[in-house]
Amino acid sequence: MSAISDRLKNVSISASAAMTQRARELAANGIKVISLSSGEPDFPTPAHAIEAAHVAALAGDTKYPPMDGTPALKAAIIRKFKRDNNLDYDASQIVVSGGGKQVIFNAMLATCNPGDEVVIPTPSWVSYADIVKFAGGVPVAVPCHEQTGFKLRPEDLEAAITPRTKWLFLNFPNNPTGAACSRAEMASIAEVMLRHPNVWIMTDDIYEHLVYDDFQFCTIAEVEPRLYERVLTMNGVSKAYAMTGWRLGFCAGPKELISAVSNVNGQNGGGIATLTQAAATAALDGPQDLLKERAAIYKERRDFVLDRLSEVEGLRCHRPDGAFYLYPNMSGLIGKTSKGGRKIETDVDFVMALVDEHHVATVQGAAYGMSPFFRISYATSMEKLGEGCARIAQFCRDMC
Ligand SMILES: Cc1ncc(COP(=O)(O)O)c(C=O)c1O
C-alpha cells in the first residue's frame, strides 16, 4: 500500500522550481546557465529589516510567537493597509503566515469543502490550482487572453461562476503575464461579484508595488467597499522588500474568516518566526523610498528585454504594466527544429531545448495554464538579461 495520500497525488511539483533545479544541475557540471526562471528579487533585504531581526534576537525575542502574528507586526500591517490601500482593519482582522503561499494554503484549508469551485483567472501562478486541489476544491480556469492584454473580462468571469463557486482569486499585477488591473477594470469585476453574494474573493496583491509608467495599483476591497466583508486581501514582504527567504505573508479580511485561517495557521506551524516578524515590522514601517527606486530599475529591465525580444522573429511580446515577468508568445516557432535537432511542438519543447542547448532557464506557459508562451523573469542584472536575450535570439534564429 502506498504511503502517499490520495490528496497529494493530484499535486505537481512547481514548474519554476523544476526549471531552477535543472539550471542548478547544469551549473553543477560547470555550465554557465543564465537563470530567468525564478520569481525572486535580486536585491538585498533592506539593512534596517536585518538590523531589527538582530536586535530582536539579542533582546530575547526568541520564544513562541502568538499564532496569528505579534502585536507590533499586526500594527504595522494595519498601517500598511491604510497607507497603501486606504483600507481599515483592526488586529482581529489580520493573520500573519509563513509567506503569501501559506496564507492562501491556510485560507483554502479553512474554507474549501470537497467539490467547491475556485475561479482562477489564467494564466496564473502555478501554485493556486495545486493548493485548491490539495484543499479538496476544484480549480476553474478563466482564460485571460493575450489579445485583451491578459486581463480578466467581466463576461468571462460571469460565465465561470456556478452555484458551486466558493472563491474568486485575483492576482493583478499578475504572475506570469505582468498584466495589471486599472480602477475601471477592477470596478467592472466588482460589479459582477456584487451579483454573486455567495462567492468570496481572495486577492493576491504581492506585486502591488511593482507597477510601471505611472500605473496606479488598486485592490478590490477598496475599489468596491460593498465587497469588503467578502474579500481576503493577501500581501507579503517577499517581492516588495526582497525578503523571500524570511517567509512572511499576511492577509486581512472579515473576522470570522480570519479566525478560521488563524486556526489553521496555529495547527500547521504555530506562528511565524519571531525574528522574521521583527524584520517585517521594520520593513513595513521603515522608509518606503526603496520601493519606487527598485520599481524604476525593474522598469528599465522590462523595457530592455522587451526591446531585445521584439526584434526576434517568431516571438511576440505583450508589454506588461507590472510584476517582473514577460510572457512572450512563441507560436511562430512551433513546428520548427532547433539547431540541436529538437522538434519544437510545444512551449515545453521550447524551454527544454533552450536550457539544454543555450543554457537559458525560463518556464513554459503550460505550467501557468496557457500555451504556447514562456515566462521570463527579469528580476536579475542587466548583464544577465543582455546575455540571456542574446542567447534566446540566437536559439530562435538558428531554428529551421
Ligand atoms: C502570485 C504570487 N503569489 C504568491 C507568491 C508567494 O509569495 P511568498 O514568497 O510570500 O510565499 C508568489 C511567488 O512567486 C507569487 O508569484
Side-chain angles (χ1 to χ4, degrees):
M1 199 207 303
S2 166
I4 311 305
S5 72
D6 292 343
R7 188 183 310 112
L8 201 59
K9 285 185 189 141
N10 290 327
V11 176
S12 47
I13 296 177
S14 136
S16 57
M19 183 51 95
T20 303
Q21 179 59 25
R22 177 87 189 109
R24 280 197 189 124
E25 282 162 19
L26 289 170
N29 289 326
I31 293 169
K32 189 179 165 226
V33 178
I34 303 289
S35 181
L36 308 180
S37 60
S38 163
E40 177 163 50
D42 58 323
F43 295 110
T45 295
H48 56 269
I50 298 173
E51 187 63 34
H54 188 202
V55 169
L58 292 174
D61 186 6
T62 52
K63 307 293 186 200
Y64 281 129
M67 280 192 307
D68 52 351
T70 61
L73 176 55
K74 283 185 163 200
I77 292 169
I78 290 167
R79 285 189 284 276
K80 175 257 172 298
F81 277 124
K82 189 67 190 165
R83 174 182 70 226
D84 298 338
N85 311 114
N86 196 27
L87 285 171
D88 291 300
Y89 293 106
D90 65 38
S92 68
Q93 293 180 278
I94 309 277
V95 183
V96 176
S97 295
K101 189 175 223 174
Q102 200 185 42
V103 169
I104 303 167
F105 191 88
N106 290 347
M108 291 307 109
L109 278 192
T111 57
C112 275
N113 288 315
D116 282 351
E117 293 176 359
V118 177
V119 172
I120 305 177
T122 301
S124 62
W125 183 38
V126 288
S127 295
Y128 291 150
D130 284 331
I131 291 173
V132 168
K133 285 191 242 167
F134 201 94
V138 179
V140 175
V142 185
C144 298
H145 298 286
E146 181 192 13
Q147 297 85 327
T148 38
F150 298 110
K151 310 245 185 189
L152 174 61
R153 295 190 315 172
E155 58 270 38
D156 296 334
L157 170 60
E158 182 77 63
I161 295 175
T162 75
R164 302 228 55 172
T165 307
K166 181 79 167 249
W167 285 95
L168 162 68
F169 281 9
L170 293 175
N171 172 229
F172 297 102
N174 175 267
N175 175 6
T177 65
C181 195
S182 71
R183 218 178 159 79
E185 287 157 354
M186 192 64 86
S188 46
I189 292 171
E191 215 178 290
V192 174
M193 298 315 289
L194 285 170
R195 289 199 287 276
H196 297 281
N198 297 324
V199 182
W200 296 79
I201 303 156
M202 192 286 296
T203 176
D204 175 345
D205 295 348
I206 203 118
Y207 295 103
E208 157 177 31
H209 294 294
L210 300 174
V211 283
Y212 313 119
D213 308 317
D214 298 324
F215 193 94
Q216 293 295 310
F217 170 85
C218 64
T219 193
I220 194 159
E222 190 261 326
V223 170
E224 180 43 86
R226 285 175 290 173
L227 291 173
Y228 177 90
E229 284 299 326
R230 283 199 275 145
V231 176
L232 187 70
T233 302
M234 187 283 262
N235 215 314
V237 292
S238 286
K239 315 288 178 176
Y241 301 97
M243 293 178 68
T244 44
W246 297 81
R247 308 307 305 131
L248 191 131
F250 49 85
C251 62
K255 271 185 198 150
E256 196 193 357
L257 176 62
I258 289 298
S259 133
V261 177
S262 173
N263 199 348
V264 181
N265 217 37
Q267 293 300 341
N268 79 3
I272 305 313
T274 47
L275 307 188
T276 286
Q277 297 201 55
T281 306
L284 291 171
D285 272 349
Q288 302 295 303
D289 331 356
L290 88 160
L291 299 174
K292 284 228 151 39
E293 287 160 20
R294 290 179 175 181
I297 296 170
Y298 284 124
K299 177 194 147 33
E300 247 181 69
R301 293 170 174 180
R302 178 202 63 175
D303 292 345
F304 176 82
V305 179
L306 257 177
D307 282 353
R308 295 297 170 289
L309 294 189
S310 49
E311 289 164 2
V312 178
E313 214 175 302
L315 299 183
R316 186 170 65 227
C317 206
H318 161 79
R319 183 185 192 83
D321 289 313
F324 39 55
Y325 308 108
L326 291 181
Y327 202 58
N329 180 319
M330 47 71 61
S331 56
L333 299 169
I334 299 270
K336 298 203 168 198
T337 303
S338 72
K339 196 174 181 188
R342 306 265 279 266
K343 186 94 179 145
I344 308 298
E345 307 277 19
T346 63
D347 50 22
V348 179
D349 297 338
F350 178 86
V351 300
M352 291 321 292
L354 177 62
V355 72
D356 287 341
E357 296 177 22
H358 283 265
H359 311 134
V360 181
T362 58
V363 185
Q364 66 273 21
Y368 305 99
M370 191 174 279
S371 294
F373 296 86
F374 65 108
R375 189 193 77 170
I376 293 177
S377 163
Y378 53 85
T380 191
S381 68
M382 279 292 202
E383 192 198 340
K384 287 194 181 138
L385 292 173
E387 176 67 23
C389 289
R391 291 188 193 187
I392 292 172
Q394 188 66 44
F395 173 66
C396 297
R397 249 196 320 271
D398 285 349
M399 284 195 200
C400 55

